[in-house]
Amino acid sequence: MVLALPLVIGVVAALPFGGRVRNLGAARFHWLRLAYVALAFQVAAFPGGSLPWRTPDAAAVGLWIASDLLLAAVVVRNVRSPGVALIAAGLASNLLAVVANGGHMPALPQALADAGLHYTRSMNSELMAHPALPWLVDRWAAPHWIPLANIFSVGDVAIAVGGFVVGLCLTGARVPGRRPRPATT
């Protein structure tokens, strides 16, 4: 959701600037199948209440970190595409916070309270009052009017902004003040 909603918003925002939805079909990202495998790892790790299994915590953490490493490979391979460097920075920030704190994304108590959430551990998130690398953890609550609002980190912000830029650029929008790059051979 951190990437999908901003990507869609970027596409919609591009329309007044000459962006075309049909241009999305011409988008070419390398190693996209790895992203699908990463998504499958995340579903296996955190099935929620809708799937008929529960993954033990140690296995879930391993699958989640493996998923992030696969996503890192995808973004590094595509880093020259506009917006992808921001996604890479956000992914790296979140992965650092997770690894530094034992495999779960720390959630600050105030962020959980502001979001109306009450848990000690929920899927990949864990309540921590004094986490390592506190500036990288889930520290803010999203406004309640945002679909599936939750808590978020600085890494999530970078991923969201990167997703918006990707959506904007994939449509071929002509942003005022931006000069087209000369074609390279």
Side-chain angles (χ1 to χ4, degrees), residues 20 26 41 49 52 62 71 74 76 80 87 93 121 125 153 158 168 170:
R20 301 283 179 255
F41 280 11
L71 291 172
V74 173
V76 166
R80 289 187 175 181
I87 295 170
S93 172
R121 184 179 289 166
S125 183
S153 66
L168 190 70
L170 285 179

Side-chain angles (χ1 to χ4, degrees), residues 10-115:
V11 168
V12 171
L15 299 177
F17 298 102
R20 301 283 179 255
V21 174
R22 71 174 173 253
N23 291 347
L24 297 175
R28 297 292 175 251
F29 287 100
H30 304 283
W31 298 358
L32 199 52
R33 289 186 180 140
L34 282 182
Y36 297 134
V37 172
L39 180 60
F41 280 11
Q42 288 187 14
V43 169
F46 308 111
S50 58
L51 295 174
W53 72 84
R54 182 174 164 0
T55 306
D57 188 61
V61 167
L63 284 167
W64 187 32
I65 291 174
S67 167
D68 277 2
L69 292 173
L70 289 173
L71 291 172
V74 173
V75 296
V76 166
R77 178 63 178 92
N78 292 285
V79 76
R80 289 187 175 181
S81 297
V84 175
L86 282 168
I87 295 170
L91 182 62
S93 172
N94 286 348
L95 188 57
L96 277 171
V98 167
V99 170
N101 288 284
H104 293 90
M105 175 56 97
L108 296 182
Q110 190 61 50
L112 288 171
D114 291 348

Side-chain angles (χ1 to χ4, degrees), residues 5 142-149:
L5 184 61
H144 294 286
W145 52 265
I146 293 177
L148 302 173

Side-chain angles (χ1 to χ4, degrees), residues 127-182:
L127 171 68
M128 287 188 197
H130 303 287
L133 305 176
W135 57 92
L136 300 180
V137 305
D138 283 345
R139 57 183 316 104
W140 302 289
H144 294 286
W145 52 265
I146 293 177
L148 302 173
N150 203 334
I151 53 177
F152 63 98
S153 66
V154 69
D156 295 335
V157 172
I159 292 168
V161 171
F164 177 84
V165 170
V166 168
L168 190 70
C169 293
L170 285 179
T171 63
R174 294 175 300 281
V175 179
R178 183 175 165 243
R179 294 182 188 186
R181 282 194 236 169

